[in-house]
Amino acid sequence: FPIIMLTAKNEDSDKITGLTLGADDYICKPFNPLELTARVKTQLRRYTRYNKADNENNNTFAPTTEHNIRGLNISKSSHRVFLNNKELALTPLEFDILCLLAQNPGKVFSTDEIFKNVWNETVYEANNTVMVHIRRLREKIEKNPSEPKYVHTKWGVGYYFKGEEQPTV
């Protein structure tokens, strides 16, 4: 689910820290209640648009699979991910990171490259936004996140999706 931070801390460093730690939005006090309502509705609309299940709320995998890797089924067309035929609730950013890595098995992406590809923005200062999202993604798709089966770390370089090939930089 989306995370909106509502706080009295309004320094730029506080906002950057909150967003870096995984918040989807950051609102400072005092705030306009109408703005808060609009931001909540926007986050919920995005979440439901990218995470909606089919009309009957059926959790069996649809035949639109674009990637099927060792029990992990990813469909870009339906924006759904299944692990061993059980649907996972990924945020839009987690889904985009997973797709980027899965479409390029074995290719190592730096955190800056992931940020540029997923957020479509340039990184101006070092942050751990990508690392936090990777950690949350692993918690959802890995049986044991500390010994990942799918999303791996190439220490000092970045992250890669383990396909049939060895990682390449």
Side-chain angles (χ1 to χ4, degrees):
F1 290 98
I3 298 170
I4 300 174
M5 294 186 80
L6 180 61
T7 177
K9 295 188 173 204
N10 60 4
E11 296 293 321
D12 285 344
S13 61
D14 298 321
K15 294 174 189 176
I16 292 167
T17 299
L19 294 168
T20 298
L21 291 174
D24 296 292
D25 202 350
Y26 192 100
I27 304 170
C28 299
K29 293 180 187 177
F31 59 89
N32 181 327
L34 295 175
E35 179 185 4
L36 175 63
T37 302
R39 288 176 182 256
V40 168
K41 286 180 180 179
T42 298
Q43 290 296 331
L44 289 174
R45 182 175 55 248
R46 282 189 192 132
Y47 180 80
T48 55
R49 178 183 303 145
Y50 292 118
N51 292 293
K52 65 181 171 186
D54 57 10
N55 292 340
E56 286 133 17
N57 200 17
N58 185 353
N59 282 341
T60 58
F61 191 70
T64 57
T65 304
E66 294 173 16
H67 298 286
N68 185 351
I69 305 102
R70 297 182 315 275
L72 183 67
N73 300 289
I74 305 165
S75 173
K76 284 191 80 171
S77 60
S78 67
H79 215 275
R80 298 169 78 188
V81 176
F82 293 79
L83 181 60
N84 299 322
N85 295 322
K86 181 181 177 196
E87 187 168 11
L88 304 177
L90 300 183
T91 67
L93 289 172
E94 291 166 348
F95 182 86
D96 290 345
I97 291 170
L98 180 61
C99 283
L100 173 68
L101 297 175
Q103 287 172 340
N104 300 279
K107 181 178 181 344
V108 179
F109 288 88
S110 70
T111 54
D112 287 356
E113 289 172 320
I114 293 171
F115 193 88
K116 288 175 191 171
N117 280 287
V118 172
W119 279 263
N120 295 316
E121 295 178 16
T122 304
V123 180
Y124 291 107
E125 41 179 86
N127 63 53
N128 65 353
T129 301
V130 172
M131 290 183 281
V132 170
H133 283 84
I134 293 282
R135 178 180 50 82
R136 289 186 179 160
L137 177 61
R138 280 181 175 155
E139 288 170 355
K140 293 177 181 180
I141 68 170
E142 303 286 358
K143 184 175 183 177
N144 181 357
S146 62
E147 294 178 19
K149 178 178 175 182
Y150 302 104
V151 178
H152 293 262
T153 302
K154 180 82 171 177
W155 293 108
V157 182
Y159 300 96
Y160 66 97
F161 191 89
K162 188 164 186 178
E164 301 304 316
E165 310 163 32
Q166 292 294 8
T168 57
V169 179

